[in-house]
Amino acid sequence: LAAAVSNAGGLGTLGCIGNTLDQVMQQVRSIRALTDRPFSLNFVVHFMEEDTFRAALAEQIPVFTFFRGDPAKVVPRARDAGAKTIYQITTVEEAEQACEVGVDVLIAQGNEAGGHMGPIPLLTLLPEVVAVAGSRPVLAAGGIVDGRGLAAALCLGASGVVMGTRFLATLESPASELHKQALLDAKPGDTVASPMWDILSGRDWPGGIKVRTIRNQLTARWAGREDELLNVVDEVCAQLEQARAKMDTDMILFLAGEGAGRIRDVVPAAQVVREVVTEAEQILRRVNGLVQ
Ligand SMILES: Cc1cc2nc3c(=O)[nH]c(=O)nc-3n(C[C@H](O)[C@H](O)[C@H](O)COP(=O)(O)O)c2cc1C
């Protein structure tokens, strides 16, 4: 998927969280075999394995994307290794911290985003981040699935967009077929943000960050009642394991942003990139005509 996005003119990104050093290096070799274009490695900084990061720095990866954690611990090291640095932030304060240590590019991630996300809607966050970013490009993330989203983000001061959920529904995506079908079935408003994902997977994200997933019976039962869930985690995890074996999609958490409600097809990643750019160009030409 990362190589396909890079080949199409985007910046394909490989998430390293949950992967061993060997797995990351194997995937880096695969990406390099499939594309000569730049790509990035993503690290969630407070879960980063030092060995993996050190090996990645030695590999001369062209771009690093970071999320959460302390920018001072990673940005200078990546820059000294010759890489460009991108920091995904969810508040203006996080943006300021990343700018202080000289990050090259910011991603303003709005509350609509799939996976772990912050508290502020993109429409509010993005212009504020652009204001503190100075001459740095800011990319918009959260709920963007098409050219309308790209055009809107550019109007709000962004220099580009980051899309996660849209690329889950592509042919190259490693998401399961159940996950892809859940994205296609989702309607606007069919996602929910809750710390359930981390409670159930036993991963302790600092700061009580929430995770956006598709609504189902599991989220209806526990979202908003996470304190109670904490008392019965083992029991619920056992039930979920059985449900997963039966492929009961009402009991599986599928990561997705609010944009899932507008995804209608599973297509090659290059087609997504091409259509998003073409549609945004058409819209911007049309909008330009409004003021002539
Ligand atoms: C399945 C999934 C996994 C994600 N994993 C990561 C990750 O490992 N690191 C990270 O910085 N962001 C991760 N994100 C968040 C993306 O970086 C991005 O902010 C988000 O996908 C943008 O919103 P969208 O999903 O509405 O396009 C993930 C998002 C999804 C949907």
Side-chain angles (χ1 to χ4, degrees), residues 55-70:
L57 292 175
E59 272 292 317
Q60 313 235 289
I61 304 296
V63 184
F64 285 93
T65 312
F66 302 109
F67 190 35
R68 314 301 287 190
D70 181 359

Side-chain angles (χ1 to χ4, degrees), residues 134-147:
S135 58
R136 285 177 188 85
V138 179
L139 309 177
I144 296 167
V145 295
D146 59 12

Side-chain angles (χ1 to χ4, degrees), residues 13-18 42-45 65-68 88-90 107-117 140-145 162-168 175 179 183 197 205 212 254-260:
T13 297
L14 175 70
C16 295
I17 192 169
N42 169 271
F43 286 97
V44 177
V45 174
T65 312
F66 302 109
F67 190 35
R68 314 301 287 190
Q88 173 157 263
I89 53 83
T90 62
I107 301 171
Q109 189 215 43
N111 169 265
E112 302 88 339
H116 290 84
M117 28 60 76
I144 296 167
V145 295
V162 170
M163 298 187 299
T165 300
R166 184 63 189 96
F167 286 114
L168 285 176
H179 195 161
L183 294 167
W197 172 275
W205 275 64
R212 190 171 289 286
F254 293 116
L255 297 183
E258 251 310 297

Side-chain angles (χ1 to χ4, degrees), residues 193-258:
S194 154
M196 290 174 60
W197 172 275
D198 290 317
I199 293 173
L200 292 170
S201 57
R203 209 187 269 275
D204 190 13
W205 275 64
I209 188 169
K210 293 181 177 177
V211 178
R212 190 171 289 286
T213 63
I214 294 178
R215 285 180 199 278
N216 58 12
Q217 279 178 20
L218 184 62
T219 63
R221 174 94 175 85
W222 294 111
R225 298 174 56 208
E226 291 84 4
D227 286 349
E228 289 172 59
L229 177 61
L230 281 169
N231 297 326
V232 288
V233 171
D234 291 345
E235 204 180 303
V236 173
C237 282
Q239 288 166 3
L240 294 188
E241 213 163 296
Q242 286 178 5
R244 263 197 298 270
K246 288 188 225 150
M247 301 208 288
D248 176 358
T249 52
D250 252 319
M251 300 299 279
I252 300 174
L253 288 179
F254 293 116
L255 297 183
E258 251 310 297

